[in-house]
Amino acid sequence: MSPNSDSILSQELSRRTALKALFGAASAAVLFGLPIHAHAAEATKETTDKLNAAQAQLDEVQAQLDSIANEYAALANKNAQTLNDIEGVQGKIDDTQTQIDEKKAELKKKRGDLSDRVAASYKSGGTNILSLLLASGSFEELVANAHYVEKINKSDRDAIEDIQTIQEELDAQKTELESQKADLEKLKDQQTAQMQDMQAKQQEVQNVLNGLSDDVKELMAQRDSEILAAAQAEEAARKAAAAAAAANKNNSYSGGSSSGGGSYAPGTPQQNAGSGKQQAVVNACYSTPSPGQNWCAAWVTNVFRNAGVGYFGGNACDMFNAWCYSSDRSALQVGMIVADSSHSGTGMPGLIYGHVGIYVGGGIVMSNEGAITSKSLDSFISFYGTGSGVRWGWLGGIALS
C-alpha cells in the first residue's frame, strides 16, 4: 500500500459513502430538531441542479477509478503467473544442470577407466591382448579372440559416445530453458511497467475525484444551509400566526384567561464530531509503531531503517515486484519481507497497491493493518494471496542471514 495514495483513497471511499448517504437522505434529517412540517422547505433550484451535476460527475469518475483498479488486479494476476512460470523454468534449469554434471562425471569416469586399461597394457608391454591372440590354437580360435578384443573396444567407444550424446542434448535443453526464462523476465518487466503506468493513471483520476468530492461537500453544505434558512423562516411564520390566533382568542372573551399553549422551540442541526541483523529487524518490528491506516510499506521502511539495515522506499507493490522472488516455504527466512501486489480483501487499495509485512520466525508475519498485527503465515497467505499470490525475499536484495 502506498504511504500517501492508499491513505487518501481509504479516506475518500469513506467520505464518498457518507456524501452519497447525505445526498439521498431527506432534508428533515439535516434539520434535526425542527417541527415535522418543516420538510416542505427546499434549497434553490440552482443549488440543487449544481449538486446533482457534481454528484453525477463524481459517480462517473468513481466508475473510471473502479475500472482502473479491476484492470490493475487482472494485470497483477498475469504478472503473478509469469513469476510462477519463471520459478518453474528456473527449477527445470537447475534439474538439467544437475543431470549435465552427473553425465560429465560419468563420462570422466569412463574415459578414466579406458585410459587405465591402455596404460596397464602399455606397462605390461602390450602383451595381454597379443598373448590372447598368440595363444590361439587354430585359425578359427584366432578369429574368435580377435572379435572378442574388438567387441571390448567398441563397447567402450559406444558408452563414451552415448554419454557425449546425452550431454549434448542436455546442454541444448538448458540453452532452450534459459531462452524461455529470458523471455519471461522480459514479459515480467513489461507487466511491471504497465502496472506502474496504471498506478500513475489511478493517482491522476484520484486527484480529480478528490476535487469533485470537495465540490459536492460544498454544494451539500450550501443546500443544507438554504433548507435550514427556509425551514426557520417557515417556523417563524408559524409562531407568528399562532401568537396572532391566541391574541384574537383572548380578545373574544371578556375577563377570560389566556389559554395559549406552549410553542415548540426548534433545535439546531446535530454536528458529528537469526543473525545479528535478523534479530535487529525482529526487535524493530516489535518496537516500531504504526504510521497509520494503509501505510504498510511505510512501516516496513521504518522497521528496516530503525534496525540499521538501510532505507527502502516505495509501496507494497513496488517491494513485491523488486524483491519478492520465491513462494518456496523452505526458502523463507527471518527478516524477509512477505508481500503481494494485488488482492481483493481490502477493496480498491488492496487491488491497486497490495500489502507487505515482515517474517519474524515461528511461522509468524507481522504487518501494519492500522495497528501492528501478527498473523500466521497460512493466515496471511489465505487473506492476502487471493489475487496475485504471496511471495517473499530480501528487501533491497540484502541477505541478512
Side-chain angles (χ1 to χ4, degrees):
M1 284 171 277
S2 166
N4 294 320
S5 300
D6 283 8
S7 178
I8 293 173
L9 185 56
S10 178
Q11 295 170 7
E12 190 58 42
L13 289 171
S14 299
R15 180 171 61 185
R16 190 157 49 253
T17 301
L19 291 178
K20 290 182 178 180
L22 283 172
F23 181 69
S27 298
V30 180
L31 302 174
F32 180 86
L34 289 177
I36 191 168
H37 60 268
H39 71 278
E42 295 180 354
T44 64
K45 184 177 184 303
E46 180 183 6
T47 298
T48 301
D49 289 346
K50 286 182 178 179
L51 178 56
N52 290 340
Q55 182 66 55
Q57 191 175 4
L58 184 145
D59 291 341
E60 181 180 346
V61 175
Q62 176 59 49
Q64 184 180 359
L65 194 62
D66 292 341
S67 176
I68 292 173
N70 291 330
E71 289 177 16
Y72 182 91
L75 184 57
N77 290 340
K78 291 180 181 179
N79 182 251
Q81 183 58 52
T82 301
L83 292 174
N84 288 335
D85 292 343
I86 291 173
E87 196 170 9
V89 171
Q90 183 60 56
K92 291 180 180 179
I93 291 174
D94 295 340
D95 292 342
T96 302
Q97 184 60 54
T98 298
Q99 295 179 55
I100 290 173
D101 293 340
E102 290 174 352
K103 289 302 177 183
K104 283 183 177 179
E106 186 177 351
L107 181 60
K108 182 177 180 181
K109 183 177 184 303
K110 287 286 185 182
R111 286 173 172 167
D113 291 344
L114 182 58
S115 175
D116 290 343
R117 281 201 298 275
V118 171
S121 175
Y122 176 77
K123 290 178 180 178
S124 61
T127 59
N128 291 337
I129 296 176
L130 182 61
S131 297
L132 178 63
L133 296 176
L134 293 177
S136 302
S138 64
F139 178 76
E140 290 78 5
E141 188 177 352
L142 174 64
V143 172
N145 288 338
H147 176 72
Y148 174 72
V149 171
E150 175 63 20
K151 188 174 182 181
I152 292 175
N153 292 334
K154 186 176 185 304
S155 176
D156 287 333
R157 290 196 304 271
D158 289 345
I160 291 174
E161 288 176 359
D162 288 344
I163 295 172
Q164 287 177 326
T165 300
I166 293 173
Q167 182 181 335
E168 289 171 358
E169 291 174 352
L170 289 171
D171 285 335
Q173 181 179 340
K174 181 183 176 185
T175 300
E176 173 62 24
L177 289 170
E178 287 175 339
S179 176
Q180 291 180 23
K181 182 183 177 184
D183 290 341
L184 288 168
E185 291 283 3
K186 184 177 180 180
L187 176 61
K188 182 198 76 170
D189 292 341
Q190 291 173 346
Q191 291 171 335
T192 299
Q194 287 178 312
M195 287 190 290
Q196 290 172 345
D197 289 342
M198 291 183 71
Q199 283 184 340
K201 182 179 179 182
Q202 181 271 341
Q203 186 58 56
E204 291 177 5
V205 176
Q206 184 65 58
N207 292 338
V208 173
L209 192 66
N210 293 343
L212 287 172
S213 294
D214 290 339
D215 292 343
V216 170
K217 282 205 328 180
E218 292 175 4
L219 288 168
M220 281 185 171
Q222 182 177 341
R223 178 202 63 179
D224 295 344
S225 176
E226 291 175 0
I227 293 174
L228 179 60
Q232 288 175 338
E234 290 179 3
E235 180 62 13
R238 186 191 69 79
K239 286 182 179 180
N248 290 335
K249 184 177 181 181
N250 287 338
N251 291 335
S252 65
Y253 294 96
S254 136
S257 63
S258 172
S259 60
S263 63
Y264 187 92
T268 57
Q270 289 186 339
Q271 302 295 324
N272 297 323
S275 66
K277 289 183 178 179
Q278 286 175 297
Q279 188 60 53
V281 169
V282 172
N283 293 342
C285 284
Y286 286 97
S287 62
T288 302
S290 167
Q293 181 73 33
N294 297 322
W295 290 49
C296 62
W299 178 76
V300 169
T301 296
N302 291 341
V303 167
F304 277 79
R305 181 166 50 191
N306 293 340
V309 177
Y311 175 85
F312 308 94
N315 55 44
C317 179
D318 294 332
M319 292 180 177
F320 174 89
N321 289 325
W323 310 117
C324 294
Y325 53 85
S326 177
S327 59
D328 181 2
R329 295 194 182 214
S330 66
L332 180 59
Q333 297 188 53
V334 172
M336 282 186 170
I337 58 170
V338 182
D340 72 288
S341 65
S342 178
H343 64 267
S344 58
T346 56
M348 193 179 306
L351 289 174
I352 290 289
Y353 294 105
H355 186 69
V356 62
I358 300 172
Y359 183 65
V360 296
I364 300 299
V365 179
M366 294 182 67
S367 68
N368 175 33
E369 297 178 340
I372 307 306
T373 62
S374 297
K375 281 185 167 67
S376 70
L377 179 62
D378 288 337
S379 176
F380 190 95
I381 292 175
S382 176
F383 185 80
Y384 291 109
T386 54
S388 63
V390 172
R391 292 177 177 274
W392 38 83
W394 295 115
L395 182 61
I398 300 175
L400 304 180
S401 61

